[in-house]
Amino acid sequence: MMDLLIKNGSLLDGLGSPAVRRDIGVTGDRIAAIAPDLSHVSARQVIDAAGLTVAPGFIDIHSHTDFTILRNARAESKIRQGITTELVGNCGFTAAPVREKHSGALMDYLVNTTMLTEEEQESWRWPSQADFMETVRERGTGINLAFLVGHGTLRVAVMGLEKREAGPEEIKQMQHLLEEELARGIWGFSTGLQYEPARFAGKDEIVALAETAAAFRALYATHMKSESATLLESLADSIEASRRSG
């Protein structure tokens, strides 16, 4: 006996193929069978999906759910849209790494993304984004999350809210922090170059971090300096960073 039988639905496989009428049998958390007709199979729960489409869970490739998931672990607003996986940690803003020296600066920086109570600010002390990820994992979620670490947060950890380009030693420190994150399962890094203090980053700073990501075959998700007046220049900078870093 299967746990779940979804019958009479129009199945989309996620590969671009046309929809086909298929029945789907599920045992535990695994698809056990896909066939034109599974009416002979008994199941604890049966869903008649006639007139409906059945598809793999959708992936939200750009999300900020990492700043709400500890308050609402069920994430129903996403589940009810069919989203089952999200890439979080975008636009350069992430919960960690937190360095005590610049923790106040980080709280100021994160105002662009989330409003934290005084109590939350006092307990917001994850040494790394990987530690924050483990906290989320331990508490449980209704969705799958893949984590990036924010360039802006890395920058604040190393040099606070300084409105200038990072020096060679500061860039090396950011690379070291990123390397530690990637080694512990973070998927890559993101920028928010439209926001302070990240907007003061020089090209070499971004290229160096992209080189670190490339060494791990990790992602670089860019939020460019401009999406309007200097759009083409910002696109060119993003392409240059990719080319130079490999």
Side-chain angles (χ1 to χ4, degrees), residues 136-158:
V136 174
R137 190 200 310 273
E138 289 167 4
R139 297 189 186 183
T141 70
I143 51 177
N144 301 306
L145 297 174
F147 285 77
L148 303 173
V149 62
H151 158 249
T153 307
L154 293 172
R155 199 176 207 272
V156 172
V158 170

Side-chain angles (χ1 to χ4, degrees), residues 129-142:
Q129 180 74 337
D131 290 315
F132 176 73
M133 178 177 69
E134 287 303 317
T135 297
V136 174
R137 190 200 310 273
E138 289 167 4
R139 297 189 186 183
T141 70

Side-chain angles (χ1 to χ4, degrees), residues 152-167:
T153 307
L154 293 172
R155 199 176 207 272
V156 172
V158 170
M159 52 190 296
L161 298 175
E162 294 279 346
K163 297 181 179 182
R164 59 174 175 80
E165 292 189 9

